[in-house]
Amino acid sequence: MALRMTAHYLRNNPTQPGLNVKVLLLLCIASGVWGSQVVVPPRVSAVLGKNVTLGCRIQVDSNLSLTQSSWERRLPTGSVTLAVYNPMFGISIPPEYVRRLSFRSPSTHDATIILEDVGFADIGVYTCKVATFPLGNTQASTTVSVLVEPKVYVSAGSSALMDGGNDTTVATCIAERARPPADVSWETDLYGTSEAHMADDANGTTTTQVHYSWQPTRHAQGHTLTCVVRHPALQSDFRIPYIINVQFAPDILVLGYDGDWYVGRENVQLKCRAKANPPAHHFRWIRLDGDMPDGVETMNNSLIFLRPLQRNDSGVYRCEVGNDIGLRSRDIRIRIQEMSQKQMTSSMAVAGAIMGAVLALFLIAVFTIVLITARKAPPPTYTDKVIDLPPTHKPPPPYSERPPAIPLASQAPQVASVSQARRMEMHLEQAERASSRVTRRELQSPTHQPLSYQEWICHQNGADRVYINHREHYV
């Protein structure tokens, strides 16, 4: 206030600077800006029913002396003194506040007070005053507001959550009688919806309710919803977990059959495990393709074979489980084998080894026979000694069909008698017939010139004779 008055005076009297400085000094001294200062928070929030601290820090120069510090409250009827501290005479508190109000640590530098059990009637403006000599009084004011901490709780929905049902209210988070209204929300990984409702109470507080709706499914059984409430009266977020309870018919799982049941196996059983909410209370084993075999007993949720397995134990068995929601069943087909899978594997291994040994012996025998046969092959004939011919040529005809060799003119002896001439004519006739046969063979390969028997020359090597045509070139 003093500073505002000083600024107003300087604006209205700008032409007298010397006088302005004197006035500024006097106003500052009068307001205690330089001599003393009172520091209080501008606003204080108190929680209903709890204690509140009203701080007042005093700064006094060494050339001043503190004579008294006090607290006053502004009411519609006027100001009321709440507490007085005098360095010489001590503390003074009116009777109506003596049980609820006290100085925290009174001194020439601290006039902080504590007000207990705050109620709505304590809302208002409080002023801390300091009297110094020779400057007089200095003061500062703070406003007290009362916060009402909400009462938080979670209530379940009005109807049970059924698996596969329609959207249902799962739970409601309530922040009751809060001032100001509380911020309420739900935290979850489910895909539901929230709906908030607020209602004002008679004492100026507000109640907030947030409903969470969701379509129930058994897979969310045991999941958690978390109600989160935020409010100025709370030092941190208020969190309340809520466990989801979804009711559903039994889910059944049959255990015990490993696919390796064989004749003679002992100590086997089928166990029917069920997950249900509410818990299952009915278990029953039956056989679908015939009567239950002898030596089998039902105990709780298990089907126990009290004897070694037999071939006629093969069949289809059913486990029935029921709770308050419904009845469910699970079938399992049991096949009893003649031997275990381990024994079958060993037998197959032995059979494979035997077959491998037999095959190896067979291959050895075949190889031996081929080798012996090759060693006993007959010696080569005259055709094996013929020089290799091209594919289009044939070897000469057999010896019985061969024409006799015709000696050259220089080598032929002179014929002395008619009988020798007759034999020559017979040989010529035979040669012509052989030549005609050779000509017919050559017609099948038109790319080669026909050959006559004169072109073949006989070479004799011991008992074997070889005919070679010198007009052909061989490699």
Side-chain angles (χ1 to χ4, degrees):
M1 183 65 181
L3 292 177
R4 287 198 298 270
M5 293 173 60
T6 303
H8 178 72
Y9 178 82
L10 293 176
R11 284 196 302 269
N12 294 333
N13 301 275
T15 58
Q16 300 179 1
L19 181 61
N20 292 343
V21 174
K22 294 179 181 180
V23 172
L24 179 60
L25 292 174
L26 291 175
L27 291 175
C28 290
I29 294 174
S31 62
V33 173
W34 284 2
S36 63
Q37 187 176 0
V38 178
V39 180
V40 297
R43 299 184 63 86
V44 176
S45 296
V47 179
L48 183 66
K50 298 185 178 181
N51 302 341
V52 63
T53 299
L54 303 181
C56 181
R57 184 164 51 87
I58 305 171
Q59 298 177 354
V60 181
D61 291 345
S62 59
N63 59 344
L64 299 177
S65 60
L66 176 67
T67 58
Q68 183 175 285
S69 59
S70 62
W71 278 92
E72 293 181 357
R73 182 184 176 188
R74 189 183 306 167
L75 297 177
T77 57
S79 296
V80 177
T81 300
L82 304 179
V84 177
Y85 167 71
N86 188 286
M88 296 180 59
F89 301 103
I91 298 173
S92 174
I93 298 175
E96 60 269 27
Y97 288 99
V98 69
R99 301 182 62 178
R100 299 177 51 224
L101 192 147
S102 61
F103 281 96
R104 185 177 62 181
S105 56
S107 66
T108 58
H109 299 284
D110 191 358
T112 300
I113 60 173
I114 298 175
L115 184 62
E116 301 177 1
D117 192 17
V118 176
F120 291 116
D122 295 323
I123 298 174
V125 178
Y126 293 75
T127 302
C128 178
K129 289 186 175 182
V130 176
T132 59
F133 182 83
L135 295 181
N137 296 335
T138 303
Q139 64 183 26
S141 299
T142 184
T143 301
V144 176
S145 60
V146 176
L147 305 177
V148 180
E149 183 178 333
K151 180 182 179 182
V152 182
Y153 58 94
V154 174
S155 64
S158 57
S159 59
L161 301 178
M162 304 297 295
D163 177 45
N166 298 326
D167 279 359
T168 308
T169 299
V170 179
T172 301
C173 184
I174 302 172
E176 199 173 57
R177 293 187 296 272
R179 180 181 175 142
D183 180 16
V184 182
S185 62
W186 283 101
E187 286 185 357
T188 181
D189 56 355
L190 303 178
Y191 295 98
T193 57
S194 298
E195 185 179 357
H197 298 277
M198 300 178 65
D200 295 332
D201 302 317
N203 58 356
T205 60
T206 302
T207 297
T208 303
Q209 298 183 1
V210 179
H211 308 284
Y212 188 82
S213 300
W214 169 66
Q215 186 173 3
T217 173
R218 68 178 62 194
H219 303 295
Q221 167 65 16
H223 282 217
T224 302
L225 294 174
T226 303
C227 172
V228 182
V229 177
R230 299 176 178 87
H231 192 267
L234 301 174
Q235 295 181 355
S236 60
D237 295 348
F238 196 86
R239 309 174 73 88
I240 300 179
Y242 179 79
I243 306 300
I244 295 177
N245 183 30
V246 180
Q247 297 185 5
F248 55 91
D251 283 336
I252 304 173
L253 180 63
V254 178
L255 305 174
Y257 180 63
D258 56 3
D260 189 23
W261 284 23
Y262 53 90
V263 176
R265 182 173 177 178
E266 298 180 346
N267 301 322
V268 296
Q269 63 177 346
L270 297 176
K271 187 173 183 180
C272 190
R273 179 177 296 175
K275 181 180 180 182
N277 185 34
H281 53 74
H282 168 78
F283 288 90
R284 186 167 77 102
W285 280 97
I286 60 175
R287 182 170 175 174
L288 300 182
D289 56 347
D291 297 332
M292 190 69 72
D294 296 333
V296 180
E297 179 180 347
T298 300
M299 183 179 297
N300 296 329
N301 59 340
S302 298
L303 184 67
I304 303 175
F305 290 79
L306 303 176
R307 51 163 176 77
L309 292 176
Q310 301 174 358
R311 196 72 177 87
N312 61 357
D313 290 330
S314 298
V316 181
Y317 296 83
R318 170 174 290 179
C319 172
E320 290 184 351
V321 183
N323 65 351
D324 295 340
I325 305 302
L327 182 69
R328 296 289 186 272
S329 64
R330 175 73 68 176
D331 299 342
I332 183 170
R333 181 179 295 275
I334 303 298
R335 181 174 176 267
I336 308 300
Q337 307 175 67
E338 293 297 335
M339 61 180 66
S340 66
Q341 293 181 358
K342 184 176 181 180
Q343 293 173 342
M344 293 177 62
T345 303
S346 301
S347 300
M348 293 177 64
V350 172
I354 294 174
M355 292 180 64
V358 171
L359 181 60
L361 293 175
F362 175 76
L363 294 176
I364 293 173
V366 170
F367 179 77
T368 304
I369 292 172
V370 172
L371 186 60
I372 294 174
T373 303
R375 289 181 178 179
K376 293 183 178 181
T381 61
Y382 79 96
T383 55
D384 297 329
K385 299 180 179 181
V386 176
I387 299 176
D388 292 338
L389 302 178
T392 58
H393 292 81
K394 302 292 184 177
Y399 180 76
S400 61
E401 298 178 358
R402 296 175 189 170
I406 303 300
L408 298 177
S410 60
Q411 299 176 358
Q414 295 183 359
V415 180
S417 64
V418 176
S419 60
Q420 186 176 4
R422 180 56 183 167
R423 286 195 298 272
M424 181 63 68
E425 291 177 356
M426 292 175 63
H427 286 304
L428 290 174
E429 291 175 358
Q430 292 177 0
E432 288 176 357
R433 287 196 297 269
S435 176
S436 64
R437 284 196 296 270
V438 172
T439 304
R440 284 197 298 269
R441 292 191 194 102
E442 293 299 323
L443 289 175
Q444 296 177 359
S445 301
T447 57
H448 295 85
Q449 296 295 331
L451 302 176
S452 63
Y453 70 93
Q454 292 88 350
E455 296 171 348
W456 294 87
I457 298 176
C458 177
H459 296 269
Q460 185 167 356
N461 182 13
D464 296 330
R465 293 179 180 179
V466 179
Y467 290 87
I468 300 177
N469 189 331
H470 291 275
R471 291 184 58 186
E472 298 292 334
H473 300 279
Y474 301 97
V475 180

